[in-house]
């Protein structure tokens, strides 16, 4: 008897479509017979989607008709749907284990989960004090709002331990806010840095100035003048005593951070300075600073730790295999023994500083385009390189060879929803960074995506989406390995949790009336409490935790009235202020003005170092009319307000007279041939600056260049009696100025601990290289011995075969074979 046909029921459209997709998927796989049986039964029971005519009547269709009418449906259409459901659901309701998708999952991994199924759990205070197998409890994934820090620290007091992730939850970074945005430069600011204490911020701008700011209240403390072109890079030495700035004027200037006095003017490049680094190497009193230039050279500048004296000529490596090659970037290893540089000729060059002098040890040619970003890791011998060829490489030093793991920016995560246009765009790496514990590397790509990679396996972990333009800033947190900061030309600043691939904080740099400002550089302070950013409009942005009240006491625009005054230069490129003929660091405290040169009110003038305790009448500047280089007459600050008759008080006249008399006596002694070093000048200054001091001492009275209060045109030489009082540095001013400390020292205990760490790491790197080199030499010597023994055995066979050969012929054979072996050895030994 035939089987009774099952009772027919109306099949929903989505169910009939699912039947069709199952049959379509089976027809292209190994289960072809099962697909045929399924198709027969679907047609028999009329379970396939039906066709509607123009009157709304349904008509059955065969499987073949459905395939022909749905050519856009591929055999793996059902599989693609299943693959895309998981990532889309993960964004709405996060699973217990991210990026693990299963059609058979249960609970929080189920594809049918709802928000109700994933209720948040909340612990009581006692749960934080419980130890699980001797360890602090791990927070469950479905924990609700961040736990109370009071309860966490109470549990830590009871148990004696806690995990970093619970003591410092990632949500804490949502409380970072912008304390102040300050306009301090007239051009874009591409460089920002903190000193080693985190109490000072340095900015280097296209307006040729380097400025020093207070981290905790935003005060402008000093301006370092001297460069004649854009500032391209800055570096602070590890002792926190000097700052070096490289510029497009091909010169490196080094200043003392205590007094802002110039330490050195280094002229070794014939092109713009592209990168500047102080070596972490801390053995002995010899230190190195490295600079790379657009002239294709790498310069090693040696300097003394105690005297801060730089060698006038660097050890220079000219890496120019063809015209137009430029050195672009550099990075030191944590111990300072290895230096890696990137260039436009696609080559990474490695240098070793463990011997008497730096030497080049390797040339790595794995990239196919210019290498414009390079960075060593924080705790090992690995480094990361990024190239415009769309790849990054993680390099590791093994057996005297640098071996790499390839990171291809074209790699996609499963379920990636990028558009077809983005898929066919040629990727380029714009910036790279390590996280603090070196387990993760982050690369910024020109499609505005940040890619997070496992640094040991090269696996792509996350794509961080949010930027709308290219990203050139990646900055890791100084101690929290979860946190990374990114910023770009779209004006956005993001704080990411790179372990989870989530966004913690977003700030958009919108400037009122000017649109958004592209962010060019960002840095974290040493304690992680602040970070500073600079933008395309000349602003400094200070972010941090806590209260912003100290920053409310400063104006929005902060310039010194002497910032852009012309300078005169000597043959060594040291500078003097043209108007006063004084070194910029010896000039009296300047006035604080806005971007148009208008002086700020008296309450703001007390923010200038050296004017904190000045009387009110000394805080009001005198304005005068001066002529610019273009012939335009403008109003600017020329001096303090004085008496209407221009008369000085009797006390100051007597004091100035005594100082002038002592100065004349000292000049006469110097003219008699006495050593000028005993003139009580700042410590640690070099010979070229002594020449400048002699120039200022030859002028028996203070500066002779000034402006009459009647408004005479600038540049007319006048008598000292008519010079502005605010531009004359008295002996009392100079003595007070010498005692100032612009940048504080690193606490001795902290400094010794960090120095010891760098010394230990340097010894590890030196031993790693020397032991590897000895092994390599031993292997090569064994190979050469085997080559010699083979040649000798060949000679014996030749003697047996050809007894007519004379001794001279045999010697010629030996010499030729020996030359061959030695040349092959030299070829193999090149590193």
């Amino acid at each position: 008897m035939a089987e009774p046909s099952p009772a027919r029921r109306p099949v929903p459209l989505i169910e009939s479509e699912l039947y069709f997709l199952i049959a379509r998927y089976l027809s292209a796989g190994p289960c072809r017979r099962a697909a045929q049986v399924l198709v027969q039964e679907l047609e028999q029971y009329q379970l396939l989607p039906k066709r509607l005519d123009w009157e709304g009547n349904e008509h059955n269709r065969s499987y073949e008709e459905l395939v022909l009418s749905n050519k856009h449906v591929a055999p793996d259409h059902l599989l693609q749907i299943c693959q895309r459901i998981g990532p889309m659901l993960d964004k709405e309701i996060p699973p217990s284990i991210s990026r693990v998708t299963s059609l058979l999952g249960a609970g929080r991994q189920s594809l049918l989960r709802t928000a109700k199924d994933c209720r948040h759990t909340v612990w009581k205070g006692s749960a934080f004090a419980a130890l699980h197998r001797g360890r602090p409890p791990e927070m469950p994934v479905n924990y609700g709002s961040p736990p109370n820090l009071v309860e966490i620290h109470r549990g830590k007091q009871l148990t004696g331990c806690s995990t970093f992730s619970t003591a410092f939850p990632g949500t804490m970074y949502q409380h970072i806010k912008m304390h102040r945005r300050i306009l301090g430069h007239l051009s874009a600011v591409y460089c920002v840095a903190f000193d080693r204490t985190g109490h000072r911020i340095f900015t280097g701008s296209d307006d040729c100035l380097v400025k020093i700011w207070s981290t905790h209240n935003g005060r402008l403390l000093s301006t370092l003048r001297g460069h004649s072109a854009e500032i391209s890079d800055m570096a602070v030495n590890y002792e926190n005593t000097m700052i070096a700035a490289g510029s497009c004027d091909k010169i490196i200037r080094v200043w003392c951070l205590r007094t802002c006095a110039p330490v050195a003017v280094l002229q070794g490049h014939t092109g713009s300075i592209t990168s500047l680094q102080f070596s972490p190497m801390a053995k002995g009193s010899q230190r190195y600073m490295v600079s790379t230039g657009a002239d294709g050279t790498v310069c090693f500048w040696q300097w003394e730790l105690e005297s801060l004296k730089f060698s006038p000529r660097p050890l220079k490596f000219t890496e120019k295999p063809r015209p137009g090659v430029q050195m672009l970037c550099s990075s030191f290893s944590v111990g300072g023994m290895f230096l890696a540089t990137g260039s436009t000729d696609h080559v990474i060059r490695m240098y070793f500083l463990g011997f008497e002098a730096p030497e080049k040890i390797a040339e790595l040619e794995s990239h196919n385009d210019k290498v414009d970003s390079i960075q060593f890791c924080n705790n090992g011998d690995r480094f990361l390189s990024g190239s415009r060829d769309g790849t990054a490489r993680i390099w590791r030093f093994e057996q005297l060879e640098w071996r790499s793991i390839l990171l291809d920016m074209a790699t996609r995560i499963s379920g990636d929803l990028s558009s077809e246009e983005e898929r066919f765009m040629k990727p380029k790496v714009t910036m790279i960074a390590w996280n603090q514990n070196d387990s993760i590397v982050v690369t910024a790509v020109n499609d505005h995506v940040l890619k997070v990679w496992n640094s040991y396996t090269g696996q792509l972990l996350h794509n961080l989406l949010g930027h709308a333009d290219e990203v050139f800033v990646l900055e890791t947190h100084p101690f929290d390995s979860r946190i990374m900061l990114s910023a770009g030309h779209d004006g956005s600043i993001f704080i990411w949790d790179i372990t989870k691939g989530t966004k913690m904080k977003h700030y958009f740099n919108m400037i009122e009336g000017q649109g958004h400002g592209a962010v060019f550089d960002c840095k974290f302070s040493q304690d992680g409490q602040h970070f500073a950013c600079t933008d395309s409009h000349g602003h400094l942005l200070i972010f941090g935790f806590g209260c912003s009240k100290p920053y409310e006491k400063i104006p929005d625009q902060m310039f010194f009235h002497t910032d852009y005054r012309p300078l005169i230069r000597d043959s060594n490129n040291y500078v003097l202020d043209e108007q006063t003929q004084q070194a910029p660091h010896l000039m009296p405290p300047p006035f604080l003005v806005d971007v148009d040169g208008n002086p700020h009110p008296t309450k703001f003038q007390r923010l200038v170092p050296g004017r904190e305790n000045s009387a009110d009448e000394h805080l009001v500047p005198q304005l005068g009319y001066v002529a610019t280089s273009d012939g335009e007459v403008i109003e600017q600050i020329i001096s303090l307000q004085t008496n209407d008759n221009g008369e000085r008080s009797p006390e100051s006249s007597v004091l100035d007279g005594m100082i002038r008399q002592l100065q004349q006596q000292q000049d006469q002694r110097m003219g008699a041939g006495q050593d000028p070093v005993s003139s009580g000048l700042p410590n640690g200054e070099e010979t070229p600056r002594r020449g400048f001091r002699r120039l200022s001492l030859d002028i028996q009275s203070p500066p002779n260049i000034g402006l009459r209060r009647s408004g005479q045109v600038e540049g007319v030489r006048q008598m000292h009696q008519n010079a502005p009082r605010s531009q004359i540095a008295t002996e009392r001013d100079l003595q007070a100025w010498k005692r100032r400390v612009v940048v504080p020292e690193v606490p001795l205990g902290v400094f010794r601990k960090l120095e010891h760490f760098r010394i230990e790491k340097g010894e590890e790197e030196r031993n790693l290289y020397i032991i590897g080199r000895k092994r390599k030499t031993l292997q090569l010597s064994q190979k050469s011995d085997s080559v010699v023994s083979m040649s000798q055995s060949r000679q014996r066979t030749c003697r047996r075969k050809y007894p007519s050969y004379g001794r001279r012929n045999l010697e010629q054979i030996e010499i030729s074979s020996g030359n061959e072996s030695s040349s092959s050895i030299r070829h193999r030994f090149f590193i």
Side-chain angles (χ1 to χ4, degrees), residues 7-20 42 45-50 58:
R8 294 182 181 178
R9 62 177 179 84
V11 180
L13 177 61
I14 190 168
E15 186 177 339
S16 61
E17 289 177 346
L18 179 61
Y19 282 133
F20 169 68
L42 291 176
Y45 299 125
Q46 300 178 4
L47 297 177
L48 293 173
K50 295 179 173 52
E58 293 183 344

Side-chain angles (χ1 to χ4, degrees), residues 251-276:
I251 293 175
I252 302 168
R253 292 184 180 272
V254 186
W255 290 275
C256 171
L257 288 182
R258 301 292 173 270
T259 63
C260 295
V263 172
V265 178
L266 307 176
Q267 305 177 66
H269 289 278
T270 58
S272 300
I273 311 299
T274 54
S275 73
L276 205 56

Side-chain angles (χ1 to χ4, degrees), residues 585-745:
H585 71 285
L586 295 178
M587 293 174 62
F591 288 104
L592 203 60
V593 300
D594 62 13
V595 69
D596 297 320
N598 302 315
H600 285 297
T602 303
K603 64 177 182 178
F604 293 136
Q605 299 299 337
R606 294 190 188 278
L607 299 174
V608 178
R611 293 194 184 275
E612 296 91 341
N613 301 317
S614 298
D616 289 344
E617 61 268 17
H618 294 159
L619 298 176
V620 181
Q622 179 182 354
L623 301 178
Y625 293 92
V626 299
T628 65
S629 57
D630 299 332
E632 182 183 1
V633 178
I634 61 173
E635 187 180 43
Q636 90 170 19
I637 295 172
I638 59 172
S639 72
L640 292 169
Q641 288 284 9
T642 58
N643 299 332
D644 293 338
N645 299 328
E647 296 177 358
R648 301 177 189 140
S649 63
E651 300 169 18
S652 63
S653 300
V654 172
L655 182 61
D656 289 344
M658 293 173 61
I659 293 173
R660 195 177 306 113
Q661 187 177 4
L662 290 172
Q663 185 70 56
Q664 291 174 358
Q665 293 175 4
Q666 189 175 11
D667 293 340
Q668 291 172 3
R669 287 197 301 271
M670 289 179 60
Q674 292 190 5
D675 188 3
V677 176
S678 60
S679 57
L681 293 166
N683 297 326
E685 299 193 355
E686 305 306 324
T687 304
R689 284 174 284 116
R690 288 198 191 107
F692 266 177
R693 282 189 232 106
R694 289 194 199 101
L695 176 61
S696 62
L697 292 173
D698 289 339
I699 305 172
Q700 297 184 3
S701 59
N704 290 337
I705 297 182
L707 294 174
R708 295 184 187 271
R709 280 187 284 276
S710 59
Q712 189 171 347
V713 178
E714 181 183 14
V716 178
R717 293 188 176 272
Q718 302 168 356
M719 297 302 293
H720 163 63
Q721 287 75 11
N722 291 330
R725 296 286 300 161
S726 66
Q727 297 173 2
I728 300 172
T730 64
E731 191 68 22
R732 186 168 48 185
D733 294 334
L734 294 180
Q735 291 298 331
W737 222 232
K738 291 174 193 176
R739 291 192 295 268
R740 65 176 174 164
V741 177
V742 180
V743 178
E745 295 183 355

Side-chain angles (χ1 to χ4, degrees), residues 21-74:
L21 291 178
I22 293 173
R24 189 87 172 95
Y25 179 72
L26 292 176
S27 65
C31 304
R32 303 267 176 105
R33 291 177 57 191
Q36 292 176 359
V37 173
L38 178 61
V39 168
Q40 291 176 2
E41 291 188 345
L42 291 176
E43 291 179 345
Q44 177 182 354
Y45 299 125
Q46 300 178 4
L47 297 177
L48 293 173
K50 295 179 173 52
R51 177 179 63 83
L52 293 175
D53 59 17
W54 65 280
E55 292 181 345
N57 300 319
E58 293 183 344
H59 301 273
N60 294 326
R61 284 190 291 183
S62 66
Y63 174 78
E64 295 298 332
E65 290 175 345
L66 279 171
V67 171
L68 291 175
S69 61
N70 295 277
K71 293 182 179 180
H72 63 285
V73 178

